[in-house]
C-alpha cells in the first residue's frame, strides 16, 4: 500500500539554514496494517504523515501510494487522492467553526462530485455514535465528540488509509479510549492505519511501531500481543 | 454538479459570518444605490429639460431673430426689448429664397386683462396669423385669426388655458368680450395646453392677438420682440443664419468692428447645447457613484483579504479533505461575487425606491429608466469578480500543513 524509499524533507528557515525534518526514510506498509509512529517531539512524525497524506511533497526520495509514484501527480490529482483514498484525523480536530457536525462530515462529498448526500453523512455520524448531535456546532460538542465527528468526516468517502496525528492528544482517558475503539474497528474492517502518538497506552493498539529520532527511523518492530485491545473492546 | 456544491459552500460561509458579509455587501450597496439613483436623476433631468425646451421652441426647422446684441444668449428675454428689429426687417428676411415664411411677434407683460369682475395679467403677444403653424401649436377650441383680421386690425384674441381658468372658470369663453388695457377684444379661440417651459414656468398664461392690432391699437410700437423664420431646408440652418446676419447688418448699416444689434438663434444648436449640458451632468453623477462603487469594491477586497488570513485553518481543512487549489479559488471567488451581487440587488432596490419616492414627492419625474439598474447589477458582478481575484489567489496559496497545525 505504501512504499517509501530514501524519503527526505528539509525546510528552509531563511538565514538559519535548513531544517532536516526527515532524512532518508525507507519502509513499506502493507494493506490492512496498524502502524504507530513514535519519537520525541520534533523528530519528524507529523512531517512523515503529511508526506504520506499527499499534503506535502518530499525534498527527495520516492513515495509510491498503491503502486503509483505520487511525485508525478499534479495538485488536482493529489487532492483527489486525499479526498477518496485517505482520511485525516488531527490532534486539534480541525472542524470548521460555525458549521454543524453534519455539514462538517459532508465536506469531503463537496470535493468528491458535489453530490452532498445527507443520508450518507448521517450514517457516518451514526457509526461514531453521534447521530443525535448532527445539528450541533463544534463549540457545543465535547472534545471527544468533536474528534468522533472528525473521524466520521474522515470515513465518509470510505478511504483505505487512515492517518491519525495524535488523535487522543487533546482528550481525556475515556474519550481517548472511545476514539481508539473506533480506530480499532476501522482496522478490523481492513483499513490501513498509521497513527502518531506519545501515549504508551494508545500505542498498544498497533501491531507495528516505527520509531523516529531526528528525522531517521531508528527502529521498526512488531509489537507483542494485543490482549489489551480486547480488554478495551470489552469495556466499551 | 461540483460547481453547484462549491457555490453552496460560498453562500453558507457568507451566512456564517453575518457581520463581515453585511459590511462587504454594504459598500457595494451604497455604491450601486447612488449610481442607480444619480444616473436616474441625471437622465430624468436631461429628458425633462429637453421636453421643456421643445415645448417652448415648437418646431426645429426655424431660426429665431431677436433684437439686441449677443449678451443675452440662450433663452430669449421678452422684457426690455430694444427697438432695433422692425416689421420691414421681417419682410426683408421673408424675401430670402431659403425662407418659407416669417412670423412676427410683439409682447408685453404688464397689461391687465379683465372680464367682468375677474382680472388676469398674462403675457400679451401680438403675433402674425402664421404663428400657430410655425410654433406647431394647436387650438383646443375655436379659431385662430386670419390674415384679413390682422390687416383690418381686428380686436380678436386667442387665450391660453391659464387665462381661461382665471377669467372663465365656469363659462364658455368663446364669443365673450374681454378688456385688454381697457380695449375690448372678442375671444375667438383657446390654445391647447403646452405645459412647462425650460425654467419650469407655465407656457399657458398667454393671450395671442393679431400683431397689427397689437402694434397700432395697444402697444404703439413698430419694432418686434422676436421673429421666427421658417427654413425650407432645416439642414441649411447654419448657412441661412449667417445670411440673415449679413442682411440685417446691411439693413441696419452696421460695419465692423460694430457688433450686431440683433441675435439670430438656431434652435437646433441651442438644443444640442442643452443636451450637452445634460450629458455632462449625468457623466459627473455617474463618476461620483462609480467612485462610491470602487470604494465598495475596496471594502470587499480588504475585508476578504483579512478574512482569508483568519480562515487559514478552514482552507487547510478543506485542502486536507480533498479541495484542490482551484476549488479554493472558485469558492472564494463565488463568496466575493455573492456578497457583491447581494449588494447590487439591495442597491438597485434602494435606488428604485428612492426614485419612486422622489417622484411621489414631486422632486423628480416618475421616469424609472431600467438602464441604470441593469448597469448596477452588471457592475456589482464585475466588482465582485475583480475584488475576489486577489483574496481567492491568496487563499489558494495557503500551505495546508501550516494552516492545520494547531
Ligand atoms: N514549515 C516548517 N518550517 C520549518 N521547520 C519546520 C516546518 N515544519 C516542521 N519543521 C521542523 O521539522 C521538524 C519536525 O517537525 P514535525 O512537526 O514533523 O515533528 P513531530 O515529530 O510531529 O513533533 P511533535 O511531536 O511535537 O508533533 C521540527 O524540528 C520542526 O521544527
Ligand atoms: Mg507532530
Amino acid at each position: 500500500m505504501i512504499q517509501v524509499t530514501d524519503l527526505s524533507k528539509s525546510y528552509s528557515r531563511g538565514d538559519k539554514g535548513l531544517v532536516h525534518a526527515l532524512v532518508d526514510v525507507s519502509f513499506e506498509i502493507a494493506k490492512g496494517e496498524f502502524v504507530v509512529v513514535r519519537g520525541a517531539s520534533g523528530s519528524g512524525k507529523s512531517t512523515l504523515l503529511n508526506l504520506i497524506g499527499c499534503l506535502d511533497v518530499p525534498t527527495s526520495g520516492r513515495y509510491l501510494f498503491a503502486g503509483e509514484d505520487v511525485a508525478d501527480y499534479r495538485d488536482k490529482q493529489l487532492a483527489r487522492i486525499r479526498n477518496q483514498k485517505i482520511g485525516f484525523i488531527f490532534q486539534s480536530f480541525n472542524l470548521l467553526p460555525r458549521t454543524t457536525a453534519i455539514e462538517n462530515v459532508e465536506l469531503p462529498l463537496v470535493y468528491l462530485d458535489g453530490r452532498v448526500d445527507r443520508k450518507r453523512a448521517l450514517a457516518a455520524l451514526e457509526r461514531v455514535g453521534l447521530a443525535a448531535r448532527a445539528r450541533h456546532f463544534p463549540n457545543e460538542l465535547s472534545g471527544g465528540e468533536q474528534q468522533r465527528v472528525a473521524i466520521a468526516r474522515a470515513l465518509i468517502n470510505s478511504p483505505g488509509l487512515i492517518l491519525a496525528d495524535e488523535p487522543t492528544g487533546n482528550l481525556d482517558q475515556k474519550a481517548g479510549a472511545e476514539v481508539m475503539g473506533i480506530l480499532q474497528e476501522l482496522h478490523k474492517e481492513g483499513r490501513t492505519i498509521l497513527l502518531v502518538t506519545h501515549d504508551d497506552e494508545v500505542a498498544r493498539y498497533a501491531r507495528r511501531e516505527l520509531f523516529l529520532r531526528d528525522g531517521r527511523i531508528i527502529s521498526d518492530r512488531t509489537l507483542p500481543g494485543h490482549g489489551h485491545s480486547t480488554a478495551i473492546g470489552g469495556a466499551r | 454538479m461540483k460547481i453547484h456544491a462549491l457555490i453552496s459552500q460560498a453562500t453558507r460561509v457568507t451566512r456564517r459570518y453575518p457581520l463581515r458579509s453585511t459590511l462587504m455587501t454594504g459598500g457595494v450597496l451604497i455604491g450601486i444605490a447612488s449610481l442607480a439613483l444619480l444616473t436616474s436623476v441625471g437622465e430624468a433631468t436631461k429628458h425633462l429639460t429637453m421636453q421643456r425646451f421643445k415645448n417652448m421652441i415648437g418646431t426645429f426647422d426655424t431660426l429665431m431673430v431677436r433684437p439686441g446684441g449677443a449678451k443675452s444668449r440662450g433663452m430669449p428675454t421678452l422684457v426690455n426689448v430694444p427697438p432695433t428689429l422692425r416689421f420691414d426687417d421681417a419682410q426683408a428676411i421673408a424675401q430670402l429664397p431659403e425662407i418659407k415664411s416669417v412670423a412676427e411677434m410683439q409682447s408685453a407683460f404688464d397689461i391687465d386683462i379683465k372680464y367682468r369682475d375677474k382680472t388676469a395679467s398674462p403675457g400679451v403677444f401680438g403675433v402674425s396669423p402664421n404663428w400657430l403653424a410655425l410654433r406647431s401649436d394647436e387650438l383646443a377650441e375655436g379659431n385662430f385669426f386670419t390674415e384679413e383680421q390682422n390687416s383690418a386690425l381686428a380686436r380678436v384674441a386667442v387665450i391660453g388655458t391659464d387665462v381661461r381658468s382665471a377669467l372663465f372658470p365656469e363659462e364658455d369663453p368663446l364669443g365673450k368680450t374681454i378688456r385688454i388695457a381697457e380695449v375690448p377684444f372678442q375671444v375667438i379661440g383657446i390654445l391647447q395646453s403646452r405645459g412647462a417651459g425650460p425654467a419650469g414656468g407655465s407656457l399657458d398664461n398667454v393671450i395671442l392677438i393679431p400683431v397689427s392690432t397689437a402694434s397700432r391699437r395697444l402697444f404703439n410700437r413698430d419694432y418686434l420682440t422676436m421673429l421666427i423664420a421658417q427654413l425650407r431646408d432645416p439642414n441649411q440652418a447654419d448657412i441661412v443664419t449667417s445670411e440673415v446676419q449679413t442682411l440685417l447688418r446691411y439693413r441696419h448699416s452696421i460695419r465692423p468692428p460694430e457688433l450686431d444689434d440683433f441675435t439670430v438663434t438656431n434652435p437646433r444648436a441651442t438644443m444640442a447645447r442643452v443636451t450637452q449640458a445634460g450629458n455632462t451632468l449625468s457623466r459627473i453623477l455617474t463618476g461620483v457613484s462609480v467612485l462610491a462603487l470602487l470604494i465598495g469594491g475596496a471594502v470587499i477586497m480588504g475585508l476578504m483579504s483579512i478574512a482569508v488570513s483568519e480562515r487559514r485553518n478552514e482552507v487547510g481543512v478543506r485542502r486536507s479533505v480533498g479541495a484542490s487549489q482551484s476549488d479554493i479559488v472558485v469558492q472564494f471567488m463565488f463568496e466575493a461575487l455573492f456578497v457583491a451581487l447581494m449588494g447590487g440587488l439591495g442597491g438597485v432596490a434602494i435606488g428604485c425606491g428612492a426614485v419612486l419616492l422622489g417622484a411621489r414627492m414631486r422632486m423628480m419625474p416618475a421616469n424609472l429608466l431600467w438602464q441604470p439598474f441593469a448597469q448596477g447589477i452588471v457592475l456589482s458582478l464585475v466588482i465582485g469578480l475583480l475584488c475576489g481575484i486577489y483574496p481567492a489567489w491568496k487563499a489558494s496559496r495557503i500551505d495546508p500543513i501550516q494552516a492545520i497545525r494547531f
Side-chain angles (χ1 to χ4, degrees), chain A residues 36-76:
Chain A
V36 63
V37 182
R38 307 198 65 185
S41 184
S43 56
K45 306 182 293 295
S46 295
T47 304
L48 179 64
L49 236 65
N50 290 334
L51 287 173
I52 288 174
C54 299
L55 269 176
D56 204 354
V57 285
T59 312
S60 66
R62 233 156 78 95
Y63 169 33
L64 301 186
F65 179 85
E68 310 254 359
D69 193 340
V70 173
D72 305 334
Y73 282 14
R74 301 170 150 275
D75 176 64
K76 263 199 164 33

Side-chain angles (χ1 to χ4, degrees), chain B residues 109-379:
Chain B
F109 290 86
D110 48 2
I111 297 180
D112 281 337
I113 316 289
K114 292 196 187 108
Y115 174 70
R116 298 210 172 133
D117 58 331
K118 298 194 175 62
T119 61
S121 47
V124 178
F125 294 85
V127 298
S128 44
N130 57 353
W131 178 262
L132 205 61
L134 259 68
R135 296 293 309 256
S136 56
D137 268 356
E138 285 185 38
L139 287 178
E141 283 174 54
N143 298 301
F144 206 68
F145 35 82
T146 61
E147 208 56 71
E148 290 71 38
Q149 286 172 310
N150 188 35
S151 315
L153 311 186
R155 292 188 309 259
V156 290
V158 172
I159 61 175
T161 50
D162 288 0
V163 178
R164 178 196 190 156
S165 35
L167 298 184
F168 303 98
E170 271 132 28
E171 280 177 81
D172 178 5
L174 291 184
K176 301 285 168 6
T177 299
I178 56 175
R179 292 181 169 274
I180 304 178
E182 302 306 332
V183 181
F185 280 78
Q186 193 185 25
V187 178
I188 60 167
I190 301 162
L191 288 168
Q192 198 108 54
S193 172
R194 277 166 58 202
S202 171
L203 293 174
D204 295 321
N205 195 21
V206 294
I207 287 190
L208 305 184
I209 58 174
V211 68
S212 308
T213 315
S215 163
R216 312 255 184 92
R217 287 190 195 265
L218 219 52
F219 303 157
N220 284 319
R221 281 189 220 151
D222 58 356
Y223 54 90
L224 299 168
T225 303
M226 181 170 88
L227 67 81
I228 297 178
Q230 187 175 28
L231 304 169
R232 287 191 197 281
D233 179 358
N235 296 324
Q236 290 195 308
D238 292 336
I239 302 166
V240 182
T241 299
S242 57
E243 252 178 68
V244 169
Q245 276 167 332
T246 313
L247 176 66
L248 288 182
R249 283 179 73 90
Y250 171 73
R251 289 181 57 83
H252 298 180
S253 316
I254 302 168
R255 278 172 251 280
E258 285 175 75
L259 297 171
D260 293 354
D261 61 357
F262 58 89
T263 307
V264 184
T265 34
N266 172 352
R268 245 172 224 281
T270 312
M271 180 75 173
R273 268 208 308 280
V274 170
T275 317
Q276 186 62 45
N279 277 336
T280 311
L281 178 74
S282 322
R283 253 179 240 137
I284 291 169
L285 293 180
T286 308
V288 167
S289 30
V290 163
L291 198 70
L293 212 55
L294 287 180
I295 293 169
V299 168
I300 289 197
M301 190 145 100
L303 286 175
M304 276 213 55
S305 300
I306 295 169
V308 166
S309 322
E310 283 172 5
R311 287 164 59 194
R312 285 167 53 80
N313 182 259
E314 173 193 331
V315 173
V317 170
R318 288 180 185 275
R319 293 288 301 278
S320 77
V321 300
S324 63
Q325 285 180 308
S326 59
D327 289 335
I328 299 293
V329 167
V330 168
Q331 182 194 326
F332 276 81
M333 286 302 294
F334 272 111
E335 282 180 29
L337 272 179
F338 185 70
V339 291
L341 183 64
M342 287 298 117
L345 289 174
V348 161
I350 289 176
C352 245
V355 169
L356 292 176
L357 193 74
R360 213 194 175 105
M361 291 163 62
R362 295 180 193 284
M363 292 189 309
M364 59 179 291
N367 198 347
L368 203 57
L369 297 162
W370 62 272
Q371 290 93 332
F373 298 99
Q375 227 173 46
I377 303 265
V378 172
L379 259 179

Side-chain angles (χ1 to χ4, degrees), chain A residues 9-13 17-22 37-50 56 91 165-166 196-198 212 214-215, chain B residues 399 401-402 405-406:
Chain A
K9 179 75 190 181
S10 311
Y11 293 105
S12 127
R13 270 206 290 204
L18 288 179
V19 180
H20 300 287
L22 273 185
V37 182
R38 307 198 65 185
S41 184
S43 56
K45 306 182 293 295
S46 295
T47 304
L48 179 64
L49 236 65
N50 290 334
D56 204 354
Q91 178 174 358
D165 195 346
E166 300 187 43
V196 170
T197 188
H198 286 292
L212 288 177
D214 298 334
Chain B
D399 179 1
I401 300 159
Q402 296 301 318
R405 278 173 124 200
F406 35 99

